[in-house]
Amino acid sequence: MRHVFPCRTPALDFVGTLQARRRQTPDERIGSPGRLDAWFVQSGLLDKEPGSDAADLRAALALREAIYSLARARIDGRPLPAGAVTTVNRQAAGTPVATFLCPGGARRLGTASQALTDLAREAVEVFAGEESALLRECGHPDCTQVYLDRSRGRRREWCAMRTCGNRAKAAALRARRRR
C-alpha cells in the first residue's frame, strides 16, 4: 500500500492514516502490523521494516488517536485532554530510533516502539510550541487530515492542493456549471 504524506510533519501525517473519520466506516490505512511497518519505511522514520506485531499496532493506534485528540483540542481552543497527554508523554519517554552515519548517508534503524517514540516526541514539539496555533483540519468533507498552516496569509483550507484542494475546486466548478 502506498501511503500519503501531505503535511511533511510525520506526527500529523500519522493522524491521516485513518482517513474519512467522519464517515460511518473510515478507511484504516495501517490496520495490520505489515501496513504499519510499510508506513514507518515510507514516512522515512525507519530504513527497514521493524517487524511490528499486534501489540505494536495497538500502541500505534492509541498514539495516533491521542495525537488527533490533541490536535482537535488545539484547533477548537480547548484544554488538552489529560488522557491524550498521558499517552503521548508515555510514548515520548521511550528510546528513539538510532541514527547512524554511513558512507552513503544516514541510516535510521529501530523497532516499532522506537519509531512511535519519535512520532510522540515530534507531537510534543508541535503541541507545546508556537506552531500549535497553526494547526488546521482539512476543509474537504471526507478528509480529517490535520496540518500546520504555514501559508503566507494563514488561510489554507486543505491538507494538500493536489488531492483535497483539487477535488473541492472540481466539485465547485461542477456545481457552478449545473446552475
Side-chain angles (χ1 to χ4, degrees):
M1 170 175 284
R2 196 77 196 130
H3 295 282
V4 295
F5 304 93
C7 302
R8 295 188 179 95
T9 305
L12 299 180
D13 283 325
F14 192 55
V15 168
T17 60
L18 182 64
Q19 295 178 322
R21 281 175 188 274
R22 294 181 196 107
R23 284 191 201 156
Q24 190 171 357
T25 54
D27 183 18
E28 179 60 74
R29 307 290 287 183
I30 57 167
S32 70
R35 284 185 171 186
L36 177 61
D37 281 351
W39 191 89
F40 286 145
V41 172
Q42 290 173 27
S43 70
L45 284 174
L46 296 171
D47 289 339
K48 63 184 224 177
E49 293 185 358
S52 298
D53 60 20
D56 295 323
L57 181 60
R58 282 190 301 278
L61 297 177
L63 178 62
R64 178 189 68 195
E65 295 312 304
I67 294 171
Y68 181 72
S69 180
L70 294 171
R72 281 300 331 153
R74 277 284 191 246
I75 291 167
D76 295 342
R78 292 182 286 111
L80 297 177
V85 169
T86 299
T87 298
V88 169
N89 283 341
R90 187 175 294 131
Q91 188 65 57
T95 303
V97 169
T99 305
F100 302 96
L101 183 61
C102 300
R107 300 259 326 187
R108 297 181 55 80
L109 302 173
T111 64
S113 181
Q114 289 173 294
L116 293 174
T117 293
D118 282 7
L119 289 173
R121 288 178 178 196
E122 183 179 49
V124 168
E125 296 298 320
V126 168
F127 297 115
E130 292 178 14
E131 282 194 320
S132 69
L134 305 178
L135 280 164
R136 307 284 185 272
E137 188 168 29
C138 185
H140 193 279
D142 287 337
C143 184
T144 50
Q145 178 68 59
V146 293
Y147 61 92
L148 294 170
D149 181 4
R150 294 182 178 119
S151 66
R152 185 177 307 174
R154 305 289 189 258
R155 291 187 300 232
R156 189 169 136 198
E157 295 179 49
W158 304 290
C159 60
M161 188 61 203
R162 70 185 178 283
T163 54
C164 291
N166 282 340
R167 285 191 292 247
K169 286 186 172 197
L173 177 62
R174 285 191 301 274
R176 283 194 304 273
R177 286 183 177 168
R178 276 188 294 242
R179 283 186 248 145

